[in-house]
């Protein structure tokens, strides 16, 4: 008797269920394709409008998640499942999951803060969250960095904002800080002339602000000069390395001594005491 009821249900409802199932699959496949198309169109429109790449990436990730959620709901609704009840269940489950994943929610909130206040942008070289590198992408929960030795580092957004962030690309110019030690016996005017010549001969050094060349301190074994020229941020490391090398070359030509820490050891010889019987 039960078997007959099952067969009767399948004969009445089977065809309708199969049709709805096929329609749900079609909605999901076509909806996913449309969601990806809309996502690409919005991203292109934002890029053409000159939107910050950081905002483009972050907003694109959120839009993609929302569109796919809508497609899944539409497919489930085609099967006859009450989506309002489902949304309520998902909301309750989301609350429970949110309490269990407070760290992820904190990372999401931190990502929103990064987009709003922009302490760094895509392409900036920064130091934060215990790592340093070039910002490649800001996602919903993480910031992706590329280190100078080409490592990919993914840092949670919450970790990035929980500590101080140093943005080396924020300004267009930077000051190169060099400390050069010379011997106490070297002539001050000669040293100044050589250092000023090295700075003046480098075309990458900016005239404004003017370079600063002064005696910074008197060390234990050297007179320490500070050499602080201003350069464009993109030239910082090239100027730092090449200027250090050029200073050494000119000091060698001028006979200026670059001392190194040393210690004088004095040995005293004591005469042997004569012993008498």
């Amino acid at each position: 008797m039960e078997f007959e009821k099952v067969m009767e249900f399948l004969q009445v409802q089977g065809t309708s269920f199969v049709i709805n199932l096929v329609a749900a699959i079609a909605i999901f496949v076509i909806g996913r394709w449309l969601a990806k198309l809309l996502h690409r169109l919005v991203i292109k429109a934002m890029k053409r409008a000159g939107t910050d790449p950081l905002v483009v990436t972050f907003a694109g990730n959120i839009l993609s998640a929302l569109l796919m959620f809508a497609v899944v709901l539409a497919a489930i609704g085609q099967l006859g499942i009450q989506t309002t009840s489902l949304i309520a269940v998902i909301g309750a489950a989301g609350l429970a999951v949110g309490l269990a994943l407070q760290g992820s929610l904190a990372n999401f909130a931190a990502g929103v803060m990064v987009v709003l206040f922009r302490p760094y942008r895509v392409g900036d070289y920064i130091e934060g969250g215990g790592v340093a590198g070039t910002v490649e992408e800001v996602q919903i929960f993480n910031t992706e960095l590329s280190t100078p030795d080409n490592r990919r580092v993914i840092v949670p957004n919450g970790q990035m904002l929980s500590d101080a962030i140093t943005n080396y690309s924020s300004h267009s110019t930077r000051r190169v800080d060099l400390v050069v030690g010379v011997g106490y016996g070297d002539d001050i005017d000669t040293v100044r002339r050589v250092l000023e010549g090295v700075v003046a001969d480098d075309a990458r050094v900016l005239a404004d602000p003017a370079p600063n060349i002064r005696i910074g301190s008197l060390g234990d074994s050297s007179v320490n000069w500070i050499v602080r020229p201003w350069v464009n941020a993109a030239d910082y490391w090239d100027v730092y390395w090449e200027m250090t090398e050029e200073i050494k070359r000119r000091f060698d030509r001028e006979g200026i001594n670059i001392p190194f820490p040393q210690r004088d050891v004095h040995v005293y010889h004591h005469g042997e005491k004569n012993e008498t019987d």
Side-chain angles (χ1 to χ4, degrees):
M1 193 66 179
E2 295 295 334
F3 178 74
E4 293 178 356
K5 291 182 179 180
V6 172
M7 292 302 296
E8 181 180 356
F9 173 80
L10 291 177
Q11 290 174 359
V12 176
Q13 301 292 337
T15 303
S16 176
F17 177 77
V18 171
I19 293 175
N20 289 335
L21 179 60
V22 173
I25 294 175
I27 289 174
F28 179 77
V29 174
I30 297 174
R32 185 175 64 173
W33 179 78
L34 290 175
K36 291 182 178 180
L37 177 62
L38 181 59
H39 177 263
R40 288 197 297 269
L41 292 176
V42 172
I43 293 299
K44 289 181 179 179
M46 294 177 69
K47 289 181 177 180
R48 282 198 300 267
T51 307
D52 191 288
L54 186 148
V55 179
V56 172
T57 303
F58 191 83
N61 291 334
I62 294 178
L63 177 62
S64 179
L66 292 177
L67 290 174
M68 285 306 302
F69 181 71
V71 169
V72 171
L73 284 183
I76 292 176
Q78 182 62 36
L79 293 175
I81 301 174
Q82 294 295 327
T83 55
T84 54
S85 301
L86 181 62
I87 292 176
V89 173
I90 293 176
L95 178 60
V97 172
L99 293 175
L101 300 177
Q102 295 183 29
S104 297
L105 293 179
N107 290 330
F108 175 78
V112 174
M113 297 291 287
V114 170
V115 172
L116 291 178
F117 297 102
R118 302 182 187 180
Y120 50 84
R121 302 169 184 264
V122 173
D124 286 352
Y125 186 84
I126 66 171
E127 183 177 344
V131 297
T134 302
V135 179
E136 297 290 339
E137 187 176 358
V138 178
Q139 301 176 352
I140 296 177
F141 301 108
N142 306 307
T143 294
E144 182 178 320
L145 302 177
S146 178
T147 63
D149 57 350
N150 205 29
R151 289 179 296 147
R152 179 171 175 243
V153 182
I154 299 175
V155 185
N157 290 328
Q159 181 177 334
M160 290 296 296
L161 293 186
S162 64
D163 199 357
I165 298 174
T166 302
N167 191 334
Y168 295 97
S169 305
S170 179
H171 301 294
S172 60
T173 59
R174 287 185 63 185
R175 189 183 71 187
V176 179
D177 290 353
L178 298 177
V179 178
V180 182
V182 301
Y184 274 93
D186 293 308
D187 182 66
I188 291 179
D189 294 331
T190 302
V191 175
R192 188 188 304 276
R193 173 179 56 81
V194 172
L195 293 177
E196 289 178 346
V198 172
V199 172
D201 292 343
D202 196 320
R204 295 164 297 187
V205 174
L206 303 177
D208 186 23
N212 189 16
I213 302 175
R214 298 177 182 273
I215 294 179
S217 64
L218 301 177
D220 293 337
S221 58
S222 65
V223 178
N224 298 319
W225 289 73
I226 57 172
V227 182
R228 296 177 176 175
W230 286 83
V231 299
N232 291 322
D235 296 329
Y236 178 85
W237 285 112
D238 288 338
V239 172
Y240 183 94
W241 291 320
E242 293 174 15
M243 187 169 289
T244 300
E245 181 178 341
E246 183 62 21
I247 288 174
K248 177 63 169 65
R249 291 181 186 276
R250 298 204 186 186
F251 275 10
D252 290 344
R253 288 201 298 265
E254 296 287 341
I256 298 174
N257 178 43
I258 300 179
F260 50 88
Q262 54 186 328
R263 177 177 297 174
D264 294 333
V265 179
H266 300 273
V267 180
Y268 296 94
H269 296 279
H270 296 281
E272 293 182 357
K273 185 179 180 179
N274 295 326
E275 294 183 358
T276 59
D277 294 337

